[in-house]
Amino acid sequence: MSNSFYEISELLKNVPCLHGDEDHVLTEHLLSLETNYLLPIRNSLLEAKREYSLMLPLRLGRGFWAAGDRLEDTYCATKQGAALDIERLIKEPWLEFYILLRYADFTSAKVISFVHVPKCFGSKISKDISSSVGDSHLRHYNTIRLNPSWVRPWQRVNDARALLASLSEISILYISGHISLADMRISGLDRKSSFLFSTIRDPIEIIISHANYIVSCLQRHPSRPDSQNWSRLCKLEEIPIESMIDSCPDQLALKIIESSFFSRNYSNLLHKAFAPAKDSSTQEVHDHIEICPKCHLYSIDTVPGLYGELGIKAATNDRFNESSRYIDRRGFHSSVRSDVRLFLIGKDLPLWPVLASLAKR
């Protein structure tokens, strides 16, 4: 166990449990500690953060090592300065995943890693895995929780404490999230995993599912932070969303698909998940997966085989897509502009048959 991990563990064990109106408790607790204890802890956190950013230099790691994260003691020589730095660092969204990555180095637990491509029925699979194995033996960790819109900073402190307390009791460590195969390999999770898998889906169905999901969220959970973000980022504020959901939800789905935000963030998701680099060719993606023998791909048709491999007793004939269907393939081809369609799936369409063939290896 590294010194940084040990010191972070000792700090978090003693941090008080926080609630939404008790943020000041953490500051008071840190200020009650000795300066000669705070400074090494601060530096351990910064070393861990820098190590994490080097382990994940792609989408997850980008930006986690900030210009202000300097290790020199002269930068932060006072007790108050060190306490504030520590408070900031343990509220940031990198810490839990760092703990998991480091713990995976020395645990005897079985590590299962899932490259969760958005809208490829991964949420149902994760739910079935958690339900089948049981909470007492499995820590279901999903890196989507790193998104600040989902988790309050004080809750991250509590989650990190709970994670450390439960790690030694875990026999199966399940790590899933919207991270790429390249992220998995750079972080070393592919080597630490006894089983690494991902699910794939027809790229047109991925786009359709995404648009339908967003419309469903706008309809069912309009006040949720992600719904409000989609409304703002897809520039839907100036249209009557509520009336469109009732009268013409297919047109609302169309507006979402043709928004620049949707195209920028939800295009070519299979390529983003499996390519070793941004402009990799189809052959390079194929080779990238082939040289990672632990990576198993499953389509919706082969999920029963995945469940058999993991020992999951769950029905696979349930609906994998819980969103209502406001737009379908016919509407996608007839209504979405051809240039938008090409941009959204231009890299994924030629990749799809390659991935489908690898799913049968």
Side-chain angles (χ1 to χ4, degrees):
M1 188 186 303
S2 69
N3 287 336
S4 291
F5 187 91
Y6 176 79
E7 291 182 352
I8 291 168
S9 301
E10 289 301 305
L11 170 72
L12 289 174
K13 284 178 186 176
N14 298 311
V15 165
C17 187
L18 304 177
H19 301 285
D21 56 350
E22 296 180 355
D23 283 9
H24 66 282
V25 172
L26 178 57
T27 305
E28 292 172 358
H29 170 73
L30 292 171
L31 286 172
S32 69
L33 303 174
E34 295 295 327
T35 305
N36 59 4
Y37 174 80
L38 289 173
L39 286 176
I41 285 291
R42 170 190 176 271
N43 285 351
S44 291
L45 283 161
L46 285 170
E47 288 282 10
K49 186 179 179 183
R50 181 163 61 180
E51 183 183 13
Y52 173 77
S53 69
L54 291 172
M55 286 168 19
L56 292 178
L58 300 180
R59 187 169 65 88
L60 278 182
R62 186 180 299 133
F64 278 104
W65 179 253
D69 293 331
R70 291 180 286 177
L71 283 164
E72 300 88 352
D73 287 350
T74 54
Y75 171 69
C76 188
T78 66
K79 174 190 282 194
Q80 186 173 17
L84 290 174
D85 244 14
I86 291 170
E87 182 173 357
R88 171 181 66 86
L89 287 164
I90 63 175
K91 284 182 176 181
E92 287 180 347
W94 60 275
L95 186 56
E96 284 174 281
F97 200 54
Y98 168 81
I99 290 171
L100 278 174
L101 290 173
R102 273 291 151 258
Y103 182 77
D105 280 335
F106 57 84
T107 180
S108 59
K110 180 180 180 181
V111 179
I112 300 172
S113 298
F114 176 32
V115 177
H116 182 179
V117 184
K119 311 319 295 177
C120 286
F121 43 91
S123 296
K124 172 179 166 48
I125 288 172
S126 290
K127 182 179 178 182
D128 287 345
I129 289 175
S130 297
S131 300
S132 176
V133 178
D135 291 338
S136 62
H137 299 294
L138 177 143
R139 171 73 184 190
H140 174 208
Y141 185 84
N142 192 322
T143 55
I144 196 67
R145 300 191 67 215
L146 298 178
N147 186 333
S149 69
W150 286 97
V151 182
R152 286 283 308 279
W154 58 265
Q155 184 61 45
R156 291 201 193 101
V157 180
N158 294 346
D159 288 349
R161 290 176 73 251
L163 176 60
L164 274 169
S166 64
L167 281 175
S168 61
E169 306 298 323
I170 293 170
S171 60
I172 299 176
L173 179 61
Y174 174 54
I175 302 176
S176 71
H178 298 317
I179 56 180
S180 70
L181 181 58
D183 280 328
M184 284 280 187
R185 296 187 66 192
I186 291 167
S187 69
L189 269 178
D190 63 327
R191 298 186 302 277
K192 299 165 189 171
S193 302
S194 51
F195 189 72
L196 169 68
F197 73 97
S198 187
T199 51
I200 57 173
R201 190 180 189 181
D202 180 320
I204 295 175
E205 286 297 323
I206 292 176
I207 295 299
I208 291 170
S209 178
H210 249 305
N212 288 329
Y213 172 71
I214 292 174
V215 175
S216 293
C217 286
L218 292 172
Q219 181 183 50
R220 301 171 188 171
H221 313 288
S223 60
R224 217 167 65 176
D226 57 328
S227 298
Q228 295 176 352
N229 280 338
W230 278 318
S231 178
R232 175 177 57 84
L233 294 169
C234 294
K235 301 188 184 307
L236 304 178
E237 303 102 320
E238 297 180 1
I239 63 174
I241 294 177
E242 293 181 5
S243 62
M244 287 188 75
I245 286 173
D246 294 331
S247 61
C248 49
D250 57 326
Q251 293 301 308
L252 181 57
L254 178 62
K255 284 186 175 293
I256 289 169
I257 289 174
E258 293 192 338
S259 72
S260 59
F261 172 78
F262 189 92
S263 298
R264 189 167 59 251
N265 289 275
Y266 302 131
S267 62
N268 298 297
L269 290 175
L270 293 173
H271 189 274
K272 290 175 181 176
F274 300 112
K278 182 178 180 181
D279 297 319
S280 302
S281 67
T282 300
Q283 184 61 48
E284 287 171 326
V285 178
H286 173 276
D287 295 344
H288 182 57
I289 297 171
E290 280 267 89
I291 61 175
C292 187
K294 286 185 179 178
C295 183
H296 303 275
L297 300 185
Y298 295 87
S299 66
I300 196 167
D301 298 323
T302 58
V303 165
L306 168 65
Y307 281 20
E309 180 72 32
L310 295 175
I312 295 173
K313 294 180 173 64
T316 56
N317 55 356
D318 296 346
R319 288 183 65 199
F320 278 102
N321 181 10
E322 297 180 358
S323 306
S324 300
R325 202 161 178 85
Y326 305 106
I327 191 170
D328 55 18
R329 291 181 76 99
R330 179 181 296 180
F332 179 78
H333 284 293
S334 63
S335 303
V336 179
R337 297 199 323 263
S338 60
D339 60 319
V340 173
R341 292 202 310 271
L342 182 62
F343 184 80
L344 288 170
I345 55 178
K347 293 181 179 178
D348 279 357
L349 272 185
L351 185 59
W352 168 241
V354 174
L355 295 177
S357 68
L358 287 170
K360 297 177 181 178
R361 66 177 180 176

